[in-house]
Amino acid sequence: MTNVEAGVMDQELRSFESALLALDRQAVEARLDRLLERTDRIAAVEGLVIPILESVGERWERGELALSQVYMCGRLCERAVDRILPPADPRRSDQPPTAIAVLEDHHLLGKRMVYSALRARGFEVKDYGRRTVASLTEAVETDAIEVLMVSVLMLPSALRVRDLRQRLDELPRPPHLIVGGAPFLFDDELAAAVGADAVGRNSADGISLLAAYCDAAGRDGASGGSGGNGASGGSEPAPHTGRQI
Amino acid sequence: MSPGMSSMQRVLTTLGHQEPDRVPLFLLVTMHGARELGVPLREYFHDPALIAEGQLRLRARYGDDCLYGFLYAPLEVEARGGDVVWVDDGPANSGEPILRRPEDIRDLQPLRVADAAPLGRALTAIELMKERVADEAPIVGVVMSPFSLPVMQMGFDAYIELMYERPELFERLMQVNIESCVDWANAQLAAGATAICYFDPVSASDITPPERYEQWGGAVARQTLARIQGPTATHFASGRCLPIVPEVAETGTAVVGVSAHEELGRLKAACAGRLSVLGNLNGIEMCRWTPEEARAAVRAAIAAAGPGGGFILSDNHGEIPLQVADETLQEIVAATREYGRYPLTEASGG
């Protein structure tokens, strides 16, 4: 990319983010459409939507944006991407079977935000809604889920991940387990303590962690992978590391 | 300095931005009362006599500076017919939202406190506590702010979309909730509560933008707190509030409950003379604290916010998890007595 092209792209990113934070859906779609005149759909998603979702997540981490803004940005991005990359698009294929669920709690915002971000990134994800340990384990086995993302709100639910981990480890192919939610934000050691393989602190982390898994497992991931081309050779991610990014 | 102050004197002195005999400690334990009495959580919270007895026994055990009239977060939703989900090792949670569609807000009416049995349980518990403690220690009543309650009434995602996209329904919901909240708070004060803790996590700056506080949570707080006939403390339940401290002070609240994610010293400075600070021991980490870690956390908090009064040591969320061990709570109490004695010195943490 030349300096001129990089400058143009930077300008595009800034105006796209402004439109998102202003919750201006028409402007969001118009800026995406304008980019589509110069590039293909996948490049548009990777060049515009993903960097903005990552930026929004980082700004929330730094206290510059509020959760409500992150949520609304994710919803707008999800709708915009669905317009140009429908759920059945074959380019969403060759992804590890992935599912997301809320463990026990009835409040689904965190899961919804991660789900929106993953879909905006082009990942196809099964939404299991609210589950108990038993029903979630059963669904994972039935659907041969390879990556399981679990969101919790309350501390007892976070501690229940330990039971979930034990049940999952009894399956023939235990899934890679990524956790997130408020209790994990207040204790850096909690995810490892309950046996998670990774913890996400915001919805953009969900994208990074899933993309990293795809890289490590030699899967293409969504729309060609973020920084990974599926050529890394099929090594399985190390389980139970409680890795935090 | 007045040695041998009662808890009430200690708290009132610090709220007057003066130094009492020591830093007051609000050990906001709720579920531990059930453990103390050996009864399941659900049974405990359905019996006002057990709740009052649990609070009194916990205070006898730990010697902290308040009794807590908080039962569980979804109490006000339960009073409207909502489901409560009980677990045996944590706080009750709200079930499916009672407002299925935003349009249901049009038919919503203010809650009649006198007709709501779940609220009656809390009122009776407060009355029983008041009979026993009189004016020796404050009894803290609790309301969910009209601005934060909709998370349980309609679900967090639907509520965020309502705030941004349906301003007329949002406003209608706020007006209904304000009426209910004012009546509920005043009923607790009439029952014997000394002050009302106004839980408002959705107004926290990491949930809604600070620049919206004046228009959203702050506007609702100003309308609500002005009609509550007693002192109030605004608690952000682990959420950040530093960017909105000046606006929070304008709502008429006396105390602000702050997050473990914020620097206590900066918050104290921002609040100086206008608001007292309540916080901010990390309740989640507290579950695994060693005695040394508990003492260090208490000492650091007192050093940061204790000087000059205007500070009550507490957890950062407004409810200590059931998983926090008795030994840890005892260590927090002992460290508060050791490091929190006024005048604070370098050795004591000040």
Side-chain angles (χ1 to χ4, degrees), chain B:
Chain B
M1 186 181 79
S2 307
M5 283 180 161
S6 71
S7 288
M8 185 72 86
Q9 290 171 321
R10 188 172 293 126
V11 172
L12 290 176
T13 302
T14 207
L15 295 185
H17 300 274
Q18 301 290 318
E19 294 185 349
D21 56 345
R22 66 164 168 79
V23 170
L25 172 66
F26 279 11
L27 210 56
L28 298 179
V29 278
T30 57
M31 298 166 282
H32 290 72
R35 178 178 291 169
E36 185 81 19
L37 297 174
V39 293
L41 289 173
R42 183 173 187 164
E43 180 185 340
Y44 176 79
F45 285 116
H46 279 79
D47 186 334
L50 290 178
I51 297 165
E53 183 63 25
Q55 280 294 306
L56 289 159
R57 286 204 196 179
L58 289 170
R59 184 158 181 267
R61 175 187 285 269
Y62 299 116
D64 69 324
D65 291 304
C66 76
L67 292 167
Y68 200 24
F70 181 52
L71 273 57
Y72 43 88
L75 183 75
E76 294 171 52
V77 176
E78 183 183 25
R80 289 184 174 280
D83 291 332
V84 174
V85 180
W86 292 92
V87 293
D88 57 13
D89 59 351
N93 201 352
S94 59
E96 293 297 321
I98 51 178
L99 296 171
R100 304 286 172 149
R101 306 171 307 137
E103 289 70 24
D104 294 343
I105 292 167
R106 297 189 206 284
D107 299 325
L108 194 65
Q109 296 299 320
L111 185 64
R112 289 169 54 90
V113 172
D115 298 338
L119 304 187
R121 275 187 268 128
L123 293 175
T124 303
I126 289 171
E127 288 169 357
L128 293 171
M129 285 185 237
K130 185 68 176 177
E131 283 175 15
R132 300 271 292 276
V133 78
D135 292 327
E136 194 274 320
I139 299 171
V140 179
V142 167
V143 296
M144 287 297 142
S145 92
F147 183 64
S148 293
L149 188 65
V151 170
M152 291 186 282
Q153 289 175 295
M154 61 188 305
F156 212 156
D157 48 355
Y159 180 45
I160 290 175
E161 291 177 27
L162 184 88
M163 279 191 263
Y164 283 101
E165 296 177 344
R166 306 290 295 272
E168 77 292 353
L169 288 177
F170 168 76
E171 185 57 32
R172 158 94 182 135
L173 181 58
M174 291 304 103
Q175 291 310 314
V176 171
N177 283 355
I178 287 171
E179 292 304 315
S180 307
C181 182
V182 168
D183 284 353
W184 172 219
N186 287 333
Q188 291 178 76
L189 291 167
T194 315
I196 297 297
C197 184
Y198 178 86
F199 272 107
D200 196 12
V202 178
S203 284
S205 301
D206 32 16
I207 304 296
T208 46
E211 60 271 20
R212 293 269 194 172
Y213 181 70
E214 274 291 293
Q215 175 193 354
W216 286 348
V220 172
R222 280 195 302 275
Q223 293 176 64
T224 307
L225 301 187
R227 294 171 56 198
I228 293 178
Q229 294 159 354
T232 56
T234 300
H235 205 305
F236 293 98
S238 302
R240 294 178 172 95
C241 65
L242 183 59
I244 56 173
V245 162
E247 292 81 9
V248 173
E250 295 299 315
T251 64
T253 197
V255 181
V256 61
V258 304
S259 173
H261 282 162
E262 290 187 304
E263 284 181 45
L264 203 50
R266 286 186 67 197
L267 272 163
K268 179 72 185 300
C271 292
R274 294 184 294 178
L275 293 166
S276 292
V277 173
L278 175 76
N280 68 345
L281 303 176
N282 187 326
I284 301 292
E285 288 185 354
M286 201 183 283
C287 298
R288 59 169 172 78
W289 274 352
T290 63
E292 292 74 25
E293 287 171 326
R295 294 178 74 78
V298 167
R299 186 176 187 179
I302 289 173
F311 175 58
I312 298 171
L313 182 66
S314 186
D315 69 294
N316 75 316
H317 192 70
E319 185 176 43
I320 292 178
L322 188 58
Q323 287 73 16
V324 176
D326 172 66
E327 293 75 16
T328 305
L329 297 175
Q330 296 280 14
E331 201 64 43
I332 289 169
V333 170
T336 305
R337 290 175 187 230
E338 181 178 344
Y339 300 126
R341 191 158 300 283
Y342 287 107
L344 302 178
T345 64
E346 193 172 329
S348 69

Side-chain angles (χ1 to χ4, degrees), chain A residues 21-23 60-72 75-76 79 104-110 112-113 130 153-157 159-160 182-190 193 201, chain B residues 85 87-96 151-152 155-158 160-161 163-165 204-212 216 238-240 259-261 282-285 287-288 316 321 323:
Chain A
L21 292 175
L23 305 180
W60 183 69
E61 280 288 304
R62 293 198 300 267
E64 296 171 8
L65 291 178
L67 188 74
S68 63
Q69 293 169 297
V70 180
Y71 171 74
M72 293 302 287
R75 294 280 289 140
L76 279 178
R79 289 171 190 160
E104 299 194 340
D105 298 321
H106 281 258
H107 295 278
L108 310 180
L109 180 72
R112 183 65 207 260
M113 292 175 70
R130 174 184 175 271
L153 176 67
M154 313 288 276
L155 177 62
S157 310
L159 297 175
R160 216 81 76 217
F184 298 106
L185 298 180
F186 281 88
D187 186 350
D188 291 342
E189 298 180 15
L190 186 57
R201 297 182 65 87
Chain B
V85 180
V87 293
D88 57 13
D89 59 351
N93 201 352
S94 59
E96 293 297 321
V151 170
M152 291 186 282
F156 212 156
D157 48 355
I160 290 175
E161 291 177 27
M163 279 191 263
Y164 283 101
E165 296 177 344
S205 301
D206 32 16
I207 304 296
T208 46
E211 60 271 20
R212 293 269 194 172
W216 286 348
S238 302
R240 294 178 172 95
S259 173
H261 282 162
N282 187 326
I284 301 292
E285 288 185 354
C287 298
R288 59 169 172 78
N316 75 316
Q323 287 73 16

